[in-house]
Amino acid sequence: MKNMGEMLLTPTPFSEIVMGNTALVRAMIEAGTQVVTSYPGSPTPEIATAIQSIPLDERPFYFEFSTNEKVAAEVAFGASINGHLATVFFKSVGLNVAADAFIQFSLLHCIGGLVIVLGDDPGANSSQNEQDNRHYARMSYTPILEPANPTEVYDYYKEAAHLARSLGKAVMLRLTTHVCHAKERVAFAGWQSAAPIDRSPRFDPANGPYIPLVAKVYPRKREALAALEKVEQWIDERGLHRIVGNGSERGLITSGMVHLSALEVLTDAPGRPDILKLAMPYPLPKRAIAAFLASHLEVKILEELDDTLETEIKALAYDQGLTTRIVGKQELEDWVGEYTPDKVRDILHRTWPDLVPARTAIDPATLVPVPLRPAQMCPGCGHRSAFHAIKQALPKEGAITVADIGCHTLGFQEPYLLGEVLLCMGASTGIASGLALFNDTRPVVAFLGDSTFFHAGLPGIINALFNQHNLVLVVMENGTTAMTGHQDHAASGRNVNGPADAIPIRRVLEGLGVQHIFETDTYRQKELTEIMRQALALKAFSVVIARHPCMLLFTRNQRKKSGYVARHVRIDQEACARIHACVEAFACPSFARAADGSVTVNRELCIGDGSCLQTCPAGAITR
Ligand SMILES: Cc1ncc(C[n+]2csc(CCOP(=O)(O)OP(=O)(O)O)c2C)c(N)n1
């Protein structure tokens, strides 16, 4: 059996069961993509995993993780105006970070073609919101394709690449969590290994203008709008939208994965409505939609999250004088969450009770209770030691603590309760600065991960320094971008393609002129508590670097080594005084408390790191 990298480079046509994220990489290869960039974020990191499964010297394109989504988009844009087909991928909220660059793309001539792949997250499975990025397509005049399953991810990427290249524009490909992660058998076309990439720079300002200032803005905007008309024509010609069914008076308009939920619900429905499945939610194929509306008495628009299709289609019907009854989500639906088959069944039952029966109620007695499993830090996580130590330095009441995005966000939970506000990547220092204003009594502490430090953390730090805000910033340095699957960052000493000079966080802070920098390993809990006390006493901007390698990554690497011996701590039951600091205050999930108050160690979880030893006042934890 071939490994993933070999499979992705197979020259002859083949079919294989793959994830949407994997199918995308094969499509990139077949389409002749030359530059791919990203910043990690769910649901897209497996795209990088698939790329990395191809050995560096056989990879048909250049790939990098950039420092953030904006930089990733800029690198891809630069490659595109140098004549290369380029792609950037990132998660939903990544587009907010990239937006300042992205919003300009439609005004500029991306001669090589540029595809922006989004991992949107209806249901907020792994994001701080469930923003609907179809809005950005409209705002930026960028065509957007929306596949429903891995086969369409593969097909639509190639369509997007073709369109982007032929127009010299940016095109978006909007994936959603379950389209990224769904698996199905995909039939792949053949691929002849690419000719070596042409390394002669092709950038020519005559392909521009590339300076969208004053007099250039209007003509460029007119050109972007004219390109959208061409796209509408193109999508009709390609026939990517299709009608399922024929002859019902009722119609349904869907797109993306919602279409699959609708098919599932309607499989056995008597007098099933015709379905117009769209491929491109913007710009809409107006002719096809108008014809569909005109040939049905009643049309339901079924779309996840916001009402972008509904708003446009109702306006289209008005403009064309159509009298079709259009039912959208404005009347009958909740605008929250994923459109699973169950949810779609409820919606279609409310719309057409004669067609779709209600869900059969489930007898609660038949449900098997599943224990709640709140997200938690791993056994041995250095962040746990940091929180445990930092808590000792803070006043019992009154400290204000601000979280950032990453594994350490979990510190907001019991028993640590550190990090009471969370906004987005890199925001902690800025928010903490605001909280420190007109505040002479309550200490303010911000937390920031090391990947986030480089991603969007630096401007807040420079601001705090420049405007002399009084707060303690704790940089939680674990050497990796842990929460999204251990991607390297600028201080790791590696990039995705091999070794690279590390940019140490301390040196960056010193270079900026931060006066008060402390650092220690988080396993030295007493020292960290003491350092925090000193930092708080300064009543000025100070940074504490709280360092310990990510123990999940460390242990995983150790396990691969020959002669690896698993280690665990144990409880000396004689010495245990049932104080329960290990379970209650330190709260490592490896400890279990029995009904009689005795504590045991779950050897499946414990990694024997020993960070807990110092937390037991009775000294009952031993290696
Ligand atoms: C704008 C944006 N991009 C990407 C993400 C995805 N994301 C969530 S946590 C995280 C990792 C942060 O890494 P780091 O700051 O090193 O903290 P760690 O998880 O290692 O503790 C990322 C990239 C996001 N939430 N927002």
Side-chain angles (χ1 to χ4, degrees):
M1 186 163 144
K2 286 182 177 176
N3 65 34
M4 195 197 292
E6 285 168 347
M7 178 200 69
L8 286 167
L9 295 182
T10 306
T12 49
F14 68 103
S15 74
E16 187 59 73
I17 298 174
V18 292
M19 251 195 229
N21 281 345
T22 313
L24 178 76
V25 176
R26 171 69 184 197
M28 288 176 182
I29 294 169
E30 286 181 29
T33 313
Q34 287 160 326
V35 172
V36 180
T37 60
S38 179
Y39 183 76
S42 291
T44 64
E46 300 84 3
I47 301 171
T49 310
I51 294 172
Q52 287 172 266
S53 73
I54 306 171
L56 188 55
D57 54 352
E58 293 174 40
R59 224 172 269 166
F61 50 76
Y62 170 81
F63 173 57
E64 74 171 41
F65 274 123
S66 313
T67 35
N68 66 28
E69 292 85 352
K70 180 169 179 282
V71 178
E74 288 156 354
V75 174
F77 169 74
S80 164
I81 63 172
N82 197 25
H84 299 297
L85 175 59
T87 290
V88 54
F89 66 89
F90 42 67
K91 75 179 276 117
S92 55
V93 290
L95 190 52
N96 303 331
V97 178
D100 209 9
F102 159 79
I103 216 85
Q104 293 303 119
F105 292 164
S106 67
L107 301 188
L108 303 170
H109 202 187
C110 307
I111 54 164
L114 178 55
V115 182
I116 295 131
V117 179
L118 296 171
D120 271 13
D121 192 10
N125 298 283
S126 53
S127 314
Q128 65 266 40
N129 68 25
E130 44 171 21
Q131 71 185 50
D132 187 335
N133 276 328
R134 293 177 301 171
H135 292 291
Y136 268 112
R138 193 179 162 83
M139 185 163 132
S140 63
Y141 318 121
T142 309
I144 183 165
L145 281 159
E146 189 172 38
N149 55 23
T151 297
E152 285 189 357
V153 172
Y154 167 70
D155 289 338
Y156 286 15
Y157 176 85
K158 293 203 291 184
E159 296 287 352
H162 174 78
L163 180 63
R165 219 171 354 200
S166 54
L167 290 176
K169 289 277 172 212
V171 174
M172 295 158 96
L173 184 71
R174 177 179 184 251
L175 316 182
T176 52
T177 299
H178 296 302
V179 175
C180 289
H181 293 159
K183 279 188 172 182
E184 70 167 348
R185 184 167 289 281
V186 179
F188 296 107
W191 167 69
Q192 292 312 312
S193 63
I197 293 181
D198 176 1
R199 304 187 76 89
S200 53
R202 276 165 281 169
F203 174 68
D204 183 350
N207 290 323
Y210 288 117
I211 314 270
L213 284 184
V214 203
K216 300 289 189 277
V217 171
Y218 289 8
R220 301 312 291 171
K221 185 169 164 183
R222 287 205 175 92
E223 197 202 279
L225 293 167
L228 288 176
E229 282 171 28
K230 283 193 216 153
V231 173
E232 253 184 82
Q233 215 173 339
W234 173 87
I235 190 100
D236 273 344
E237 284 161 16
R238 295 298 297 158
L240 291 183
H241 42 264
R242 57 177 195 272
I243 296 176
V244 185
N246 181 19
S248 173
E249 290 182 342
R250 289 168 174 167
L252 189 71
I253 300 181
T254 64
S255 170
M257 218 196 67
V258 182
H259 174 66
L260 301 183
S261 293
L263 282 185
E264 190 171 323
V265 170
L266 293 169
T267 310
D268 303 322
R272 191 167 110 161
D274 299 340
I275 304 178
L276 170 59
K277 192 243 181 219
L278 300 174
M280 185 172 270
Y282 182 80
L284 283 179
K286 293 196 197 71
R287 272 175 298 274
I289 292 175
F292 189 79
L293 292 176
S295 58
H296 293 86
L297 289 180
E298 183 182 29
V299 169
K300 164 80 186 154
I301 297 162
L302 190 69
E303 61 184 318
E304 203 167 49
L305 302 182
D306 298 347
D307 62 345
T308 69
L309 294 180
E310 179 179 350
T311 309
E312 281 211 50
I313 291 173
K314 282 181 173 167
L316 175 74
Y318 178 85
D319 287 347
Q320 306 229 349
L322 296 167
T323 53
T324 318
R325 180 171 135 74
I326 300 174
V327 185
K329 68 191 311 163
Q330 292 170 358
E331 295 114 73
L332 292 169
E333 291 170 40
D334 185 10
W335 290 35
V336 173
E338 291 169 283
Y339 273 27
T340 58
D342 278 352
K343 188 151 179 170
V344 166
R345 178 174 292 283
D346 293 345
I347 293 166
L348 292 182
H349 170 66
R350 283 198 294 274
T351 317
W352 293 316
D354 58 319
L355 202 67
V356 179
R359 259 197 286 167
T360 27
I362 299 170
D363 174 2
T366 63
L367 294 176
V368 181
V370 178
L372 290 177
R373 291 197 311 159
Q376 56 187 342
M377 287 174 274
C378 307
C381 178
H383 297 342
R384 176 179 293 102
S385 283
F387 288 132
H388 189 65
I390 290 168
K391 221 171 157 62
Q392 324 294 321
L394 296 176
K396 283 266 170 297
E397 276 175 19
I400 302 174
T401 57
V402 184
D404 217 294
I405 302 256
C407 291
H408 73 270
T409 309
L410 299 170
F412 83 92
Q413 301 181 115
E414 294 275 5
Y416 324 104
L417 303 176
L418 292 176
E420 303 151 292
V421 189
L422 174 72
L423 211 55
C424 59
M425 283 188 78
S428 58
T429 314
I431 301 169
S433 300
L435 284 161
L437 294 174
F438 305 113
N439 169 7
D440 298 331
T441 51
R442 298 176 64 185
V444 182
V445 178
F447 297 97
L448 179 70
D450 43 1
S451 187
T452 310
F453 174 88
F454 293 103
H455 173 281
L458 282 168
I461 294 173
I462 294 168
N463 183 67
L465 199 58
F466 166 56
N467 286 308
Q468 302 173 2
H469 291 297
N470 169 14
L471 65 114
V472 179
L473 170 66
V474 183
V475 179
M476 312 286 267
E477 187 177 2
N478 59 6
T480 185
T481 316
M483 197 166 223
T484 45
H486 301 125
Q487 295 81 7
D488 295 310
H489 58 60
S492 304
R494 287 185 58 80
N495 64 31
V496 75
N497 298 319
D501 287 340
I503 303 172
I505 287 176
R506 179 167 191 127
R507 239 177 42 209
V508 175
L509 293 169
E510 284 169 351
L512 292 176
V514 179
Q515 297 283 320
H516 312 289
I517 307 174
F518 304 83
E519 63 184 313
T520 187
D521 187 298
T522 66
Y523 275 20
R524 296 168 180 243
Q525 293 169 12
K526 284 206 169 65
E527 189 176 312
L528 179 53
T529 305
E530 183 45 38
I531 279 175
M532 269 310 282
R533 286 200 179 110
Q534 288 173 26
L536 288 163
L538 286 169
K539 301 207 180 301
F541 179 64
S542 61
V543 181
V544 173
I545 302 174
R547 181 177 297 131
H548 197 82
C550 168
M551 293 307 280
L552 183 64
L553 183 61
F554 176 81
T555 313
R556 197 177 282 167
N557 290 337
Q558 291 297 107
R559 284 194 180 125
K560 289 183 197 150
K561 293 185 181 160
S562 65
Y564 167 75
V565 183
R567 296 191 313 165
H568 313 286
V569 299
R570 49 182 291 276
I571 308 282
D572 179 342
Q573 297 296 344
E574 298 281 295
C576 176
R578 311 286 204 260
I579 298 165
H580 296 140
C582 56
V583 207
E584 286 173 4
F586 192 58
C588 175
S590 307
F591 295 113
R593 176 169 37 186
D596 67 356
S598 64
V599 176
T600 50
V601 174
N602 180 340
R603 290 165 62 94
E604 295 292 317
L605 293 177
C606 177
I607 59 167
D609 54 278
S611 56
C612 50
L613 264 63
Q614 55 201 304
T615 68
C616 179
I621 310 174
T622 59
R623 279 193 208 265

